[in-house]
Amino acid sequence: MGKYNLTNCDLEPIHVPGHIQSHGFLIATSDDLMIVCCSENIEHFIQIQPRALLNEPLYSLDAYIKLNDQSLKQVSFREVFFSKPAYGSNTTNPYLVFIGGQRYTLLVSTTGPYWLFEFEPELSHLSHPIELQMEHAMTSLLATDQLTDLLQITTEHIREIIQYDRVMVYKFHSDGHGEVMAESKTDQLDSWHGFHYPASDIPQQARELYKKNLTRLIADVHSSPSLLATTTAGNATSVDLTNSALRAVSPIHIQYLKNMGVASSFSISILDQGELWGLVTCHNYTPRFINFRQRNAAKLVGQMLSTAVSFRQQEEDRKIAGSLHAASEGMVRQLSRNIPINNALINEEFTLLDAIPSSGAAVVYNKDIHIVGKVPGMDFLQTFVGWLARNHLSPVFHTDCLSDHLPEAAEAEIAATASGVLACRISSYHPEYLIWFRNERLSSINWAGKPDKPNEVSENGLLTISPRQSFEVWRQEVYRTSAPWEKAEIQAASKLTHEVKFALGRKASEIRLLHDKLQEAYTELDTFSYTVSHDLKNPLTTIKSYSQLLMIRFEIDPKLKQVAGRINESAEKMQLMIEEILHYSRMTQDKIVSKTVDMKRLLGDLRDDFLVSHNRNNLRIEVYDAPPVEGDKMMMLQIFSNLLGNAVKYSSKTKNALVTVNGTIADTGITYAIADNGIGISAADERLIFNLFSRSKDAEDFEGSGVGLAIVKRMVQKHHGKIWVESKLGKGSTFFVHFPHPAQQRADVVYA
Ligand code: ADP
């Protein structure tokens, strides 16, 4: 026992104990019916030494065991066994055999490479015929449809059939702990009805065995188990006794039963769709053996109960699903309307609260949390969503006791609104969820003894499991726990999540479609402005020529000359604007021819040109670092000529004008800064100046059209770059132009 400590007690290999219970004996043979293993207690049944049987053929027992007057040799077990359904429903089991004139039951099964032959007496503690009771049991089970009544009736009939002191129906809750749901007992015994038992009382591997082998008899907890003797090639614990009726009981479980004062126990598994729903557990306070036929009769009653429980459960699921159906249909309709997802889920006729019974709900979408009903504060919601995204990648997370997972949730205020949580992920890429909350439901549980498993320190210093000593009622108040999430509710939540994902997908493709349309319209507008401005040039030139003609002809009349002059001026202004629009829209049509541009040279030439053309004593232009840029040389020239031109222009009234240009290289790309100490730009104007024909008020005293920066911005964007300005009114401005490295240029493109 020392081997199995607190952390690995679920690992005790109880299906290969190397022992059997001693009320019967066991022989295992190889495929060719040569004996490889034999329980040592065989000598109590047959006058033969167990070891003398090893490596002998099975039929060497013919002298001792009579099988329906046939020799063991004459029976083809293979034929009989494999022509029938699996063990348990095998109609050839049991075989009636005679040993020393007594009737015995032979049970044949297979395990791994071996045949198992188990012999147990037919003589039972139960002597009366059970057929009549069976008939009663079946009739009353069929006539009952309330689950609680069914459970109660089952305990009563099974007790009547097998006559144990106490028969209980024990149900496993979702966290693994069990509860006595119904009980039938002798009058002297105290009732255990309504008692809860910790999950550790029945370890995981025992539960697995209950699913495979539906009945389990422990005839006498005080008898010593019998060791399996094996051939030298074999090993007692290599014989898998999962299918065995005689399998010895874990010493921990034996001690557990002894601590309860129980001398014999019998259990029948109740399965719901292949899962262990619970057990019918029968206790007797004196040793009790019932034979295979009687156990099978009780099993049949248990199977009827299993069917009824499954049917009830499915009915319940259907009822829940039906009650949620209307709300979920309503929500699907809301989702199909052209409104934001969060509105469709919480601000319309049906909300998340109608979809799943809950006290509060939240939609975590687009970096926002939208709420409905009673939910914890925003700070906690954010903590919870972060925790969820880090720790639970599965599409659904649910618990009825959040504080078991997240310690912050233990705070009274949070537990009040969020003891239960059901969260469904709606995006694979972002931490986006639908979350339902359930409030705290205070209750109390009557445990049969304190649920913590007492442990002792063994000689080797390991903590070892010892079964519980005390079964005295221990009342526990349950805090920070909500009503559990039913299977049908979780399914309904998953279904709704699927609908939300679908709606999100549809919205995304709608946006993509709109984006494409916008792009198309944008191109059309460009073509339109190009055509219009191009075609307007001719009539405008005509107007200009005629107004000039008029100016000459009206030389004599100064008033008329002035009018003609105004026409000419306006036409010139219009012509300039048309030229600019033409230039601007041409940008869309122009393709980039990308090369490495020698910026040192380009900026040096520009500086010289500006210095010559402005010929101002007060102007200094400094070019510092000028790393080369990958791009279109003509566009680069226009970008920097515009920016330098503006810097020179808007600092022309400064006493000592200084214009500097400096380029820096970073991981993301190259950034140029063009700085001046000119008039500066107000914060309000900083964003506007990049728009077409946008000029700041402070620039009114300077010539200009407000088109330059719009063209510069477009050219920079064609290089997947960015432009921005930092400025202080009256002090000067710095324009920044950033060009990403060629490999990163695509990354800057924003996909819808
Ligand atoms: P403009 O032909 O008016 O200079 P731009 O498009 O080049 O047209 O510039 C738009 C506006 O941005 C200018 O009218 C001016 O108000 C402001 N601006 C541009 N560069 C500077 C600068 N270096 N200093 C101050 N203001 C500037």
PDB file of all heavy atoms in Angstrom, residues 646-647 649-650 676 679-681 689 694-696 699 704-710 733 735, ligand 1:
ATOM      1  N   ASN A 646       8.885  74.287 -48.764  1.00  0.00           N
ATOM      2  CA  ASN A 646       8.024  74.842 -47.717  1.00  0.00           C
ATOM      3  C   ASN A 646       8.850  75.368 -46.555  1.00  0.00           C
ATOM      4  O   ASN A 646       8.586  76.452 -46.030  1.00  0.00           O
ATOM      5  CB  ASN A 646       7.068  73.768 -47.194  1.00  0.00           C
ATOM      6  CG  ASN A 646       5.850  73.611 -48.080  1.00  0.00           C
ATOM      7  OD1 ASN A 646       5.631  74.436 -48.977  1.00  0.00           O
ATOM      8  ND2 ASN A 646       5.077  72.561 -47.845  1.00  0.00           N
ATOM      9  N   ALA A 647       9.861  74.586 -46.153  1.00  0.00           N
ATOM     10  CA  ALA A 647      10.695  74.991 -45.013  1.00  0.00           C
ATOM     11  C   ALA A 647      11.371  76.326 -45.308  1.00  0.00           C
ATOM     12  O   ALA A 647      11.415  77.231 -44.456  1.00  0.00           O
ATOM     13  CB  ALA A 647      11.728  73.909 -44.715  1.00  0.00           C
ATOM     14  N   LYS A 649      10.363  78.532 -47.589  1.00  0.00           N
ATOM     15  CA  LYS A 649       9.329  79.569 -47.773  1.00  0.00           C
ATOM     16  C   LYS A 649       8.817  80.080 -46.426  1.00  0.00           C
ATOM     17  O   LYS A 649       8.801  81.286 -46.175  1.00  0.00           O
ATOM     18  CB  LYS A 649       8.178  78.989 -48.591  1.00  0.00           C
ATOM     19  CG  LYS A 649       7.009  79.925 -48.787  1.00  0.00           C
ATOM     20  CD  LYS A 649       6.069  79.473 -49.891  1.00  0.00           C
ATOM     21  CE  LYS A 649       5.296  78.221 -49.518  1.00  0.00           C
ATOM     22  NZ  LYS A 649       4.311  77.838 -50.549  1.00  0.00           N
ATOM     23  N   TYR A 650       8.442  79.118 -45.533  1.00  0.00           N
ATOM     24  CA  TYR A 650       7.799  79.546 -44.292  1.00  0.00           C
ATOM     25  C   TYR A 650       8.793  80.017 -43.217  1.00  0.00           C
ATOM     26  O   TYR A 650       8.391  80.391 -42.131  1.00  0.00           O
ATOM     27  CB  TYR A 650       6.874  78.442 -43.757  1.00  0.00           C
ATOM     28  CG  TYR A 650       5.689  78.229 -44.695  1.00  0.00           C
ATOM     29  CD1 TYR A 650       5.596  77.091 -45.490  1.00  0.00           C
ATOM     30  CD2 TYR A 650       4.695  79.215 -44.820  1.00  0.00           C
ATOM     31  CE1 TYR A 650       4.542  76.915 -46.371  1.00  0.00           C
ATOM     32  CE2 TYR A 650       3.641  79.043 -45.699  1.00  0.00           C
ATOM     33  CZ  TYR A 650       3.570  77.900 -46.481  1.00  0.00           C
ATOM     34  OH  TYR A 650       2.523  77.753 -47.357  1.00  0.00           O
ATOM     35  N   ASP A 676      12.582  73.359 -39.699  1.00  0.00           N
ATOM     36  CA  ASP A 676      12.858  74.793 -39.941  1.00  0.00           C
ATOM     37  C   ASP A 676      12.504  75.585 -38.707  1.00  0.00           C
ATOM     38  O   ASP A 676      11.853  75.071 -37.794  1.00  0.00           O
ATOM     39  CB  ASP A 676      12.053  75.283 -41.159  1.00  0.00           C
ATOM     40  CG  ASP A 676      10.567  75.240 -40.911  1.00  0.00           C
ATOM     41  OD1 ASP A 676      10.076  75.971 -40.014  1.00  0.00           O
ATOM     42  OD2 ASP A 676       9.852  74.445 -41.599  1.00  0.00           O
ATOM     43  N   ILE A 679       7.448  79.901 -39.325  1.00  0.00           N
ATOM     44  CA  ILE A 679       6.245  80.384 -38.624  1.00  0.00           C
ATOM     45  C   ILE A 679       5.553  79.307 -37.774  1.00  0.00           C
ATOM     46  O   ILE A 679       4.765  79.618 -36.894  1.00  0.00           O
ATOM     47  CB  ILE A 679       5.220  80.979 -39.613  1.00  0.00           C
ATOM     48  CG1 ILE A 679       4.791  79.903 -40.644  1.00  0.00           C
ATOM     49  CG2 ILE A 679       5.757  82.219 -40.291  1.00  0.00           C
ATOM     50  CD1 ILE A 679       3.562  80.292 -41.437  1.00  0.00           C
ATOM     51  N   GLY A 680       5.817  78.041 -38.063  1.00  0.00           N
ATOM     52  CA  GLY A 680       5.181  76.955 -37.291  1.00  0.00           C
ATOM     53  C   GLY A 680       3.713  76.766 -37.673  1.00  0.00           C
ATOM     54  O   GLY A 680       3.160  77.528 -38.462  1.00  0.00           O
ATOM     55  N   ILE A 681       3.106  75.744 -37.080  1.00  0.00           N
ATOM     56  CA  ILE A 681       1.714  75.415 -37.416  1.00  0.00           C
ATOM     57  C   ILE A 681       0.951  75.170 -36.109  1.00  0.00           C
ATOM     58  O   ILE A 681       1.475  74.520 -35.195  1.00  0.00           O
ATOM     59  CB  ILE A 681       1.668  74.119 -38.267  1.00  0.00           C
ATOM     60  CG1 ILE A 681       2.546  74.276 -39.514  1.00  0.00           C
ATOM     61  CG2 ILE A 681       0.253  73.760 -38.685  1.00  0.00           C
ATOM     62  CD1 ILE A 681       2.954  72.980 -40.156  1.00  0.00           C
ATOM     63  N   ILE A 689      -3.436  70.161 -42.835  1.00  0.00           N
ATOM     64  CA  ILE A 689      -2.579  70.662 -43.923  1.00  0.00           C
ATOM     65  C   ILE A 689      -2.223  69.622 -44.978  1.00  0.00           C
ATOM     66  O   ILE A 689      -1.780  69.977 -46.050  1.00  0.00           O
ATOM     67  CB  ILE A 689      -1.268  71.291 -43.366  1.00  0.00           C
ATOM     68  CG1 ILE A 689      -0.556  70.270 -42.463  1.00  0.00           C
ATOM     69  CG2 ILE A 689      -1.531  72.602 -42.649  1.00  0.00           C
ATOM     70  CD1 ILE A 689       0.850  70.686 -42.114  1.00  0.00           C
ATOM     71  N   SER A 694      -5.669  72.736 -48.578  1.00  0.00           N
ATOM     72  CA  SER A 694      -5.761  73.158 -47.178  1.00  0.00           C
ATOM     73  C   SER A 694      -4.560  73.996 -46.804  1.00  0.00           C
ATOM     74  O   SER A 694      -3.422  73.552 -46.964  1.00  0.00           O
ATOM     75  CB  SER A 694      -5.778  71.903 -46.310  1.00  0.00           C
ATOM     76  OG  SER A 694      -6.857  71.942 -45.490  1.00  0.00           O
ATOM     77  N   ARG A 695      -4.825  75.208 -46.289  1.00  0.00           N
ATOM     78  CA  ARG A 695      -3.732  76.095 -45.889  1.00  0.00           C
ATOM     79  C   ARG A 695      -4.043  76.619 -44.487  1.00  0.00           C
ATOM     80  O   ARG A 695      -5.201  76.805 -44.133  1.00  0.00           O
ATOM     81  CB  ARG A 695      -3.601  77.272 -46.849  1.00  0.00           C
ATOM     82  CG  ARG A 695      -3.471  76.884 -48.309  1.00  0.00           C
ATOM     83  CD  ARG A 695      -2.875  78.011 -49.124  1.00  0.00           C
ATOM     84  NE  ARG A 695      -1.475  78.216 -48.798  1.00  0.00           N
ATOM     85  CZ  ARG A 695      -0.873  79.395 -48.846  1.00  0.00           C
ATOM     86  NH1 ARG A 695      -1.543  80.480 -49.177  1.00  0.00           N
ATOM     87  NH2 ARG A 695       0.400  79.516 -48.530  1.00  0.00           N
ATOM     88  N   SER A 696      -3.003  76.864 -43.707  1.00  0.00           N
ATOM     89  CA  SER A 696      -3.268  77.426 -42.382  1.00  0.00           C
ATOM     90  C   SER A 696      -3.477  78.927 -42.497  1.00  0.00           C
ATOM     91  O   SER A 696      -3.013  79.547 -43.457  1.00  0.00           O
ATOM     92  CB  SER A 696      -2.103  77.114 -41.444  1.00  0.00           C
ATOM     93  OG  SER A 696      -0.981  77.843 -41.839  1.00  0.00           O
ATOM     94  N   ALA A 699      -0.505  81.080 -42.827  1.00  0.00           N
ATOM     95  CA  ALA A 699       0.287  81.033 -44.056  1.00  0.00           C
ATOM     96  C   ALA A 699      -0.260  81.983 -45.110  1.00  0.00           C
ATOM     97  O   ALA A 699       0.227  82.004 -46.237  1.00  0.00           O
ATOM     98  CB  ALA A 699       0.302  79.607 -44.584  1.00  0.00           C
ATOM     99  N   GLY A 704       0.961  80.375 -52.234  1.00  0.00           N
ATOM    100  CA  GLY A 704       0.813  78.909 -52.202  1.00  0.00           C
ATOM    101  C   GLY A 704      -0.584  78.493 -52.565  1.00  0.00           C
ATOM    102  O   GLY A 704      -1.507  79.305 -52.568  1.00  0.00           O
ATOM    103  N   SER A 705      -0.758  77.205 -52.888  1.00  0.00           N
ATOM    104  CA  SER A 705      -2.062  76.705 -53.323  1.00  0.00           C
ATOM    105  C   SER A 705      -2.642  75.669 -52.360  1.00  0.00           C
ATOM    106  O   SER A 705      -3.783  75.282 -52.481  1.00  0.00           O
ATOM    107  CB  SER A 705      -1.920  76.067 -54.701  1.00  0.00           C
ATOM    108  OG  SER A 705      -1.061  74.943 -54.595  1.00  0.00           O
ATOM    109  N   GLY A 706      -1.844  75.144 -51.431  1.00  0.00           N
ATOM    110  CA  GLY A 706      -2.341  74.107 -50.509  1.00  0.00           C
ATOM    111  C   GLY A 706      -2.426  72.737 -51.155  1.00  0.00           C
ATOM    112  O   GLY A 706      -3.138  71.867 -50.668  1.00  0.00           O
ATOM    113  N   VAL A 707      -1.677  72.527 -52.231  1.00  0.00           N
ATOM    114  CA  VAL A 707      -1.743  71.215 -52.893  1.00  0.00           C
ATOM    115  C   VAL A 707      -0.480  70.391 -52.616  1.00  0.00           C
ATOM    116  O   VAL A 707      -0.515  69.160 -52.542  1.00  0.00           O
ATOM    117  CB  VAL A 707      -1.926  71.389 -54.429  1.00  0.00           C
ATOM    118  CG1 VAL A 707      -1.919  70.046 -55.136  1.00  0.00           C
ATOM    119  CG2 VAL A 707      -3.216  72.116 -54.716  1.00  0.00           C
ATOM    120  N   GLY A 708       0.648  71.085 -52.387  1.00  0.00           N
ATOM    121  CA  GLY A 708       1.962  70.414 -52.270  1.00  0.00           C
ATOM    122  C   GLY A 708       1.974  69.252 -51.286  1.00  0.00           C
ATOM    123  O   GLY A 708       2.349  68.127 -51.640  1.00  0.00           O
ATOM    124  N   LEU A 709       1.527  69.497 -50.069  1.00  0.00           N
ATOM    125  CA  LEU A 709       1.614  68.433 -49.044  1.00  0.00           C
ATOM    126  C   LEU A 709       0.689  67.267 -49.361  1.00  0.00           C
ATOM    127  O   LEU A 709       0.998  66.116 -49.051  1.00  0.00           O
ATOM    128  CB  LEU A 709       1.286  68.991 -47.659  1.00  0.00           C
ATOM    129  CG  LEU A 709       2.406  69.787 -46.983  1.00  0.00           C
ATOM    130  CD1 LEU A 709       1.964  70.234 -45.593  1.00  0.00           C
ATOM    131  CD2 LEU A 709       3.673  68.946 -46.857  1.00  0.00           C
ATOM    132  N   ALA A 710      -0.465  67.579 -50.017  1.00  0.00           N
ATOM    133  CA  ALA A 710      -1.381  66.485 -50.383  1.00  0.00           C
ATOM    134  C   ALA A 710      -0.680  65.573 -51.383  1.00  0.00           C
ATOM    135  O   ALA A 710      -0.781  64.333 -51.294  1.00  0.00           O
ATOM    136  CB  ALA A 710      -2.663  67.058 -50.963  1.00  0.00           C
ATOM    137  N   SER A 733       8.810  74.146 -37.529  1.00  0.00           N
ATOM    138  CA  SER A 733       8.159  72.846 -37.758  1.00  0.00           C
ATOM    139  C   SER A 733       9.200  71.803 -38.156  1.00  0.00           C
ATOM    140  O   SER A 733      10.221  72.131 -38.736  1.00  0.00           O
ATOM    141  CB  SER A 733       7.166  72.926 -38.908  1.00  0.00           C
ATOM    142  OG  SER A 733       6.413  74.097 -38.840  1.00  0.00           O
ATOM    143  N   PHE A 735       8.988  68.214 -40.287  1.00  0.00           N
ATOM    144  CA  PHE A 735       8.208  67.205 -41.018  1.00  0.00           C
ATOM    145  C   PHE A 735       9.005  65.906 -41.026  1.00  0.00           C
ATOM    146  O   PHE A 735      10.205  65.919 -41.286  1.00  0.00           O
ATOM    147  CB  PHE A 735       7.943  67.672 -42.464  1.00  0.00           C
ATOM    148  CG  PHE A 735       6.833  68.684 -42.532  1.00  0.00           C
ATOM    149  CD1 PHE A 735       7.081  70.025 -42.228  1.00  0.00           C
ATOM    150  CD2 PHE A 735       5.542  68.304 -42.885  1.00  0.00           C
ATOM    151  CE1 PHE A 735       6.054  70.966 -42.274  1.00  0.00           C
ATOM    152  CE2 PHE A 735       4.516  69.230 -42.926  1.00  0.00           C
ATOM    153  CZ  PHE A 735       4.764  70.568 -42.621  1.00  0.00           C
TER     154      PHE A 735
HETATM  155  P1  ADP B   1       1.237  75.628 -49.808  1.00  0.00           P
HETATM  156  O1  ADP B   1       1.295  75.742 -51.259  1.00  0.00           O
HETATM  157  O2  ADP B   1       0.212  76.430 -49.137  1.00  0.00           O
HETATM  158  O3  ADP B   1       2.557  75.737 -49.128  1.00  0.00           O
HETATM  159  P2  ADP B   1       1.289  72.921 -48.982  1.00  0.00           P
HETATM  160  O4  ADP B   1       0.342  71.793 -49.257  1.00  0.00           O
HETATM  161  O5  ADP B   1       2.688  72.684 -49.314  1.00  0.00           O
HETATM  162  O6  ADP B   1       0.696  74.194 -49.633  1.00  0.00           O
HETATM  163  O7  ADP B   1       1.187  73.226 -47.464  1.00  0.00           O
HETATM  164  C1  ADP B   1      -0.087  73.259 -46.867  1.00  0.00           C
HETATM  165  C2  ADP B   1      -0.050  74.207 -45.674  1.00  0.00           C
HETATM  166  O8  ADP B   1       0.755  73.665 -44.651  1.00  0.00           O
HETATM  167  C3  ADP B   1       0.574  75.506 -45.929  1.00  0.00           C
HETATM  168  O9  ADP B   1      -0.360  76.413 -46.523  1.00  0.00           O
HETATM  169  C4  ADP B   1       1.008  75.951 -44.556  1.00  0.00           C
HETATM  170  O10 ADP B   1      -0.080  76.465 -43.889  1.00  0.00           O
HETATM  171  C5  ADP B   1       1.420  74.682 -43.922  1.00  0.00           C
HETATM  172  N1  ADP B   1       2.861  74.415 -44.032  1.00  0.00           N
HETATM  173  C6  ADP B   1       3.481  73.546 -44.854  1.00  0.00           C
HETATM  174  N2  ADP B   1       4.806  73.533 -44.597  1.00  0.00           N
HETATM  175  C7  ADP B   1       5.025  74.392 -43.564  1.00  0.00           C
HETATM  176  C8  ADP B   1       6.196  74.818 -42.848  1.00  0.00           C
HETATM  177  N3  ADP B   1       7.385  74.324 -43.103  1.00  0.00           N
HETATM  178  N4  ADP B   1       6.018  75.723 -41.867  1.00  0.00           N
HETATM  179  C9  ADP B   1       4.793  76.208 -41.564  1.00  0.00           C
HETATM  180  N5  ADP B   1       3.662  75.843 -42.206  1.00  0.00           N
HETATM  181  C10 ADP B   1       3.781  74.964 -43.215  1.00  0.00           C
END
